[in-house]
């Protein structure tokens, strides 16, 4: 059940991808997700090509299942990482924070499946024309760098405009969200925040605990004024950033303030001065558990929910 064009394209058991989060999505997390039947993804973030080559090699020692690398297009090392992805035989690349158009030909030549994250219908249509294999359509509920539209509104609009398969992302954390995404016409989901709160994720315990503690209104978007909006958990750092933004502090100063903040939260566990990138679904996440339990739990919950549609929602008239 839940076989789609995405499970076929990627040769995976369940149509569940793990977001390629900078610093957080290391080989440990990606291997665990792939071993559990999803698609684990190493987040390249701003790391150097050498670091990512090592991550890929370490992942291959832990699993022989398909996996991906996320190419963050704002990285100064993006070009070099494209080369590593092609030479190391990575089966899938996802991209974020920009238009990967100029790399499509090279990835195709090296048989790398390319799946960009898109925040709009126009970019989705353009990248389909350029020959990408599928799209991750991400709503503003997501953590990290985000677009403006919600998953609920954006996914069906993209689905209606493209023929290639769509993966929904942003605000998905359990079986209900998974099924909702399929109802919108997506053929898979990508989850980030849910996979941060796993035993295999290397993020500092304070980072995971902050997400588990978070309630519905505890995320905030900084950087709207600079054109680089980022969703993270509210803390001293986001409050300070917003204050400066309101005062009209120049872009360069705000950028400088951002430097090193993700590392501070992920590695040092500084949850007041660091940037705890996380999505709006944080309020739903109540525990830290192995990736396999999350993935199998989502599939079971989705199946149970389908039964609920068939039985309870027709007033119990159906005999199943
Ligand atoms: O990329 C993300 N999330 C990210 S990237 C990131 S960067 C970073 N920050 C601090 C430390 C280390 C790394 C943090 N979070 N998600 C995918 C995503 N892509 N969301 C939105 C987009 C996007 C935006 C504009 C994709 C394409 C796009 O195109 C603009 C254009 O050029 O047409």
């Amino acid at each position: 059940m839940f076989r789609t064009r995405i499970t076929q394209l990627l040769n995976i058991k369940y149509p569940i991808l793990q977001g390629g989060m900078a610093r957080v999505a290391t080989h440990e997390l990606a291997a665990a997700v792939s071993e559990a039947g999803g698609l684990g993804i190493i987040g390249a973030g701003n790391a150097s090509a050498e670091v990512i080559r090592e991550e890929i090699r370490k992942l291959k020692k832990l699993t022989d299942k398909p996996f991906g690398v996320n190419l963050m297009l704002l990285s100064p090392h993006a070009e070099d990482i494209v080369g590593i992805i092609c030479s190391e035989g990575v089966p899938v690349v996802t991209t974020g924070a920009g238009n990967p158009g100029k790399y499509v030909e090279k990835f195709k030549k090296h048989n790398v499946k390319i799946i960009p994250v898109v925040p709009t219908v126009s970019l989705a249509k353009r990248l389909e024309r350029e020959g990408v294999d599928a799209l991750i359509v991400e709503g503003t509920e997501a953590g990290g760098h985000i677009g403006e539209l919600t998953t609920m509104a954006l996914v069906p609009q993209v689905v209606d405009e493209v023929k290639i398969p769509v993966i929904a992302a942003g605000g998905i954390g359990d079986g209900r969200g998974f099924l909702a995404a399929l109802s919108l016409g997506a053929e898979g989901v990508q989850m980030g925040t849910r996979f941060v709160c796993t035993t295999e994720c290397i993020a500092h315990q304070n980072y995971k605990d902050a997400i588990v503690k978070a309630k519905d209104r505890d995320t905030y978007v900084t950087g709207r004024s600079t054109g680089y909006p980022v969703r993270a958990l509210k803390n001293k750092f986001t409050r300070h950033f917003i204050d400066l933004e309101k005062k009209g502090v120049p872009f360069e100063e705000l950028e400088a303030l951002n430097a090193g903040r993700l590392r501070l939260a992920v590695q040092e566990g500084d949850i007041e001065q660091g940037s705890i990138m996380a999505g709006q679904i944080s309020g739903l996440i109540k525990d830290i558990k192995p990736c396999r339990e999350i993935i199998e739990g989502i599939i079971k919950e989705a199946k149970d929910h389908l039964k609920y549609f068939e039985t309870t929602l027709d007033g119990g008239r159906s005999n199943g």
Side-chain angles (χ1 to χ4, degrees), residues 22 45-46 72 96-99 117 119 123 138 143-147 228 262 277:
N46 281 322
M72 208 279 282
N99 179 347
V117 173
L123 188 58
E138 187 182 272
H145 179 46
I146 48 168
Y228 188 69
L262 183 61
M277 294 187 193

Side-chain angles (χ1 to χ4, degrees), residues 45-246:
N46 281 322
S48 70
E50 290 70 37
V51 166
I52 296 310
R53 186 188 359 235
E54 280 314 302
E55 283 292 301
I56 293 167
R57 291 182 178 175
K58 285 178 187 161
L59 175 139
K60 283 179 177 168
K61 288 198 179 126
L62 295 179
T63 183
D64 54 8
K65 300 248 173 23
F67 69 97
V69 170
N70 175 266
L71 176 66
M72 208 279 282
L73 291 161
L74 294 171
S75 164
H77 309 292
E79 193 95 35
D80 293 342
I81 289 169
V82 170
I84 295 290
I85 290 169
C86 293
S87 65
E88 291 291 313
V90 173
V92 184
V93 64
T94 63
T95 66
N99 179 347
K102 64 176 172 180
Y103 301 124
V104 171
E105 212 179 296
K106 180 158 183 184
F107 284 132
K108 289 186 96 66
K109 211 168 96 192
H110 286 84
N111 253 333
V112 183
K113 305 261 180 336
I114 168 156
I115 313 183
V117 173
V118 296
T120 58
V121 173
S122 58
L123 188 58
K125 287 167 72 173
R126 184 164 160 195
L127 287 167
E128 178 182 49
R129 279 199 301 276
E130 291 179 15
V132 305
D133 294 280
L135 295 162
I136 298 165
V137 174
E138 187 182 272
T140 195
E141 299 93 320
H145 179 46
I146 48 168
E148 282 182 11
L149 297 162
T150 61
T151 303
M152 189 83 162
L154 181 61
V155 169
Q157 294 188 60
V158 173
V159 164
D160 282 355
E161 294 289 336
V162 301
K163 292 197 177 67
I164 53 177
V166 162
I167 295 154
I172 301 167
D174 65 9
R176 293 169 298 179
F178 172 78
L179 211 49
L182 297 187
S183 301
L184 297 175
E187 295 181 55
V189 298
Q190 174 173 281
M191 301 187 300
T193 309
R194 178 62 272 194
F195 282 122
V196 175
C197 294
T198 56
T199 51
E200 296 92 343
C201 175
I202 57 86
H204 197 284
Q205 190 65 34
N206 295 353
Y207 198 115
K208 299 180 189 179
D209 290 345
I211 294 174
V212 169
K213 258 199 223 141
K215 297 202 173 58
D216 54 349
R217 298 178 67 229
D218 286 347
T219 70
Y220 211 90
V221 181
T222 57
R224 285 207 197 275
S225 69
T226 64
Y228 188 69
V230 168
R231 184 182 300 283
L233 294 187
K234 285 178 191 166
N235 61 7
K236 281 198 180 118
F237 166 62
T238 59
R239 278 188 279 274
H240 182 53
F241 194 100
I242 296 274
D243 279 351
L244 295 183
E245 249 188 307
K246 280 185 188 149

